[in-house]
Amino acid sequence: MKTNKILNTETEPYLISSLPARPNLPYASGGINYSSSDLREAFDKLPLLIVERLNSLISEIEDSSVCESIETGIMDSHTLADMFNDIKIGNFVWYLTMDGEPVSTILYGIMERLDRLEAEVFK
């Protein structure tokens, strides 16, 4: 996954609170001599950083690459993409439990009981 969290160290220089109280004043008077366009640009920097990261994340989600980097914890190196594939091919049932018992075992037991009942009914 290429998109990373936005760190405080990245946002601090863009915070409006980091500007002097009167940014339009000359340096000698405690300002930073910003023009009106410089000031507008300063206000836009943080939202633009957020937009850039959000768009990057959306692109990764659309490309499905994000699914390949999120581990499920089901087993070592098992990713979300692996889990989606397991669902698709029918292997996901092997990971499920119900009342502490594997669903596959429960289903096998149900099928055995059904086979016995059918054998009795259709003798």
Side-chain angles (χ1 to χ4, degrees):
M1 190 159 130
K2 297 172 192 160
T3 304
N4 298 315
K5 288 182 180 180
I6 300 173
L7 304 174
N8 289 342
T9 54
E10 294 176 274
T11 61
E12 285 171 4
Y14 301 139
L15 295 176
I16 302 307
S17 61
S18 69
L19 293 174
R22 297 178 182 244
N24 298 78
L25 290 178
Y27 293 104
S29 302
I32 46 179
N33 205 28
Y34 269 5
S35 67
S36 60
S37 63
D38 291 334
L39 190 57
R40 286 192 300 272
E41 185 179 315
F43 273 82
D44 288 340
K45 283 183 180 180
L46 184 56
L48 290 174
L49 173 67
I50 295 168
V51 166
E52 175 190 328
R53 292 292 175 84
L54 180 60
N55 285 339
S56 176
L57 179 60
I58 291 169
S59 292
E60 287 187 40
I61 291 169
E62 288 173 344
D63 296 341
S64 299
S65 63
V66 71
C67 296
E68 294 166 1
S69 60
I70 297 174
E71 293 194 7
T72 62
I74 292 173
M75 62 183 80
D76 286 343
S77 302
H78 192 267
T79 65
L80 199 54
D82 295 329
M83 188 177 80
F84 289 150
N85 189 54
D86 289 338
I87 292 169
K88 191 174 174 181
I89 64 174
N91 288 342
F92 190 70
V93 71
W94 299 105
Y95 308 133
L96 301 176
T97 60
M98 190 166 75
D99 294 330
E101 191 174 354
V103 169
S104 56
T105 304
I106 295 169
L107 289 173
Y108 183 73
I110 291 171
M111 290 174 65
E112 280 185 330
R113 290 175 60 198
L114 183 60
D115 286 343
R116 282 195 309 265
L117 286 171
E118 285 179 339
E120 287 180 28
V121 170
F122 298 113
K123 284 184 182 180

